[in-house]
Amino acid sequence: MNSKRTPLIAGNWKMHHGGASGVTLAGEIVALSRSVPHVELLVAPPFTVLAAIAHECDGSKVLLAAQNVHEKDKGAYTGEISAAMLVDSGCTWVILGHSERRQMFGDTDAWVARKTAAALEAGLSPIVCVGETLEEREQGKTLEVVLRQVAAVTEVLAKASLPVAIAYEPVWAIGTGKVAGPAEAEEVHAAIRAALAKVAPALAEKTRILYGGSLKPDNADALLACTNVDGGLIGGASLDASQFGAIARAAEGLAIRFPS
Ligand code: 13P
């Protein structure tokens, strides 16, 4: 954590809580947001419940994100959702290039870059996800893979006037209970920031680089304390308000310790 950037604690609900239970969970997160004044909180529920959760979060500081977007603004794209529609639903952020989309739904670096541009054009801040597989890590290709994924979006992000974030999510740590150690995470986060700085120093300064992958209350302190870790993108633990709240409070404690 670094005093220059407000920590961002984001919950990626994936394909969970797409109805009334999502509204209840959002309400609990709105309530806990009052106890973490130095931390930004964000929830990314399924499309079906975005508008209802926008209503639930209205007047609070809880930010609303979608989990994906289509690159075109409208047209014959059955089953897809445009950035303008997400804005209409009350979103201000969108998660892009999550490894589950890259692995299961064919999102490529180029496609993620086009989606990032479309999101920004419509007024949505992107959280661009990057990360290596276990095989790539074992082959010593972690930085090569991650920096290639980052390079694909750097030019687009550099032009943005909105806040932007990158989430480093090692694929082998997602939903597995295996977590990157603080030193492993910091190495990649620092490399991402250095790569951004080479192209656009101001972008490197402003970009929140989030860690994701089995982030839980019991490992949050150590990971969030890393200099280049500006928050978390949380899957499983974001489905439970008390666990999500515990991680947010860990960030709050660190933010107070390193005031701006
Ligand atoms: P878990 O926290 O369940 O490992 O998921 C991480 C993730 O994919 C967030 O986008």
Side-chain angles (χ1 to χ4, degrees):
M1 197 157 287
N2 185 305
S3 60
K4 290 182 198 148
R5 291 171 288 274
T6 304
L8 175 61
I9 299 295
N12 175 10
W13 294 3
K14 307 191 180 184
M15 203 165 73
H16 301 282
H17 293 308
S21 67
V23 179
T24 304
L25 178 56
E28 291 167 358
I29 291 168
V30 167
L32 73 85
S33 71
R34 297 181 196 111
S35 63
V36 289
H38 301 89
V39 176
E40 280 186 13
L41 295 182
L42 176 150
V43 293
F47 291 129
T48 48
V49 79
L50 284 174
I53 289 184
H55 183 68
E56 190 71 18
C57 294
D58 196 24
S60 83
K61 64 175 217 160
V62 178
L63 303 165
L64 183 62
Q67 299 172 17
N68 185 31
V69 74
H70 193 266
E71 66 184 277
K72 297 287 193 320
D73 58 355
K74 60 178 172 228
Y77 302 101
T78 301
E80 294 295 325
I81 312 268
S82 73
M85 292 170 187
L86 297 179
V87 171
D88 261 357
S89 301
C91 293
T92 50
W93 286 78
V94 61
I95 296 172
L96 296 169
H98 192 280
S99 65
E100 286 150 17
R101 295 218 55 88
R102 292 180 191 260
Q103 293 199 315
M104 292 187 262
F105 305 103
D107 283 23
T108 60
D109 287 347
W111 202 9
V112 172
R114 293 200 301 274
K115 290 179 181 197
T116 305
L120 285 164
E121 175 86 1
L124 288 175
S125 288
I127 299 176
V128 179
C129 302
V130 299
E132 82 287 1
T133 62
L134 184 58
E135 197 185 357
E136 288 162 342
R137 174 160 280 264
E138 285 172 349
Q139 291 170 351
K141 292 187 177 161
T142 298
L143 291 183
E144 177 189 327
V145 169
V146 167
L147 297 183
R148 187 203 73 222
Q149 293 170 337
V150 169
V153 293
T154 303
E155 295 289 341
V156 177
L157 296 181
K159 288 189 214 133
S161 50
L162 294 171
V164 300
I166 290 176
Y168 169 55
E169 301 204 307
V171 178
W172 48 270
I174 294 177
T176 58
K178 287 188 196 141
V179 64
E184 283 173 308
E186 175 60 20
E187 182 196 7
V188 179
H189 282 235
I192 293 171
R193 197 166 321 274
L196 296 178
K198 264 196 206 155
V199 179
L203 177 65
E205 285 288 298
K206 85 169 195 182
T207 301
R208 257 93 53 98
I209 307 179
L210 314 179
Y211 172 79
S214 297
L215 187 56
K216 308 283 180 199
D218 63 356
N219 57 32
D221 244 321
L223 282 158
L224 296 173
C226 297
T227 311
N228 283 290
V229 175
D230 305 309
L233 182 56
I234 301 143
S238 75
L239 302 177
D240 177 88
S242 67
Q243 287 195 46
F244 190 66
I247 296 170
R249 279 192 297 280
E252 175 73 18
L254 288 162
I256 291 170
R257 232 183 294 159
F258 303 113
S260 50

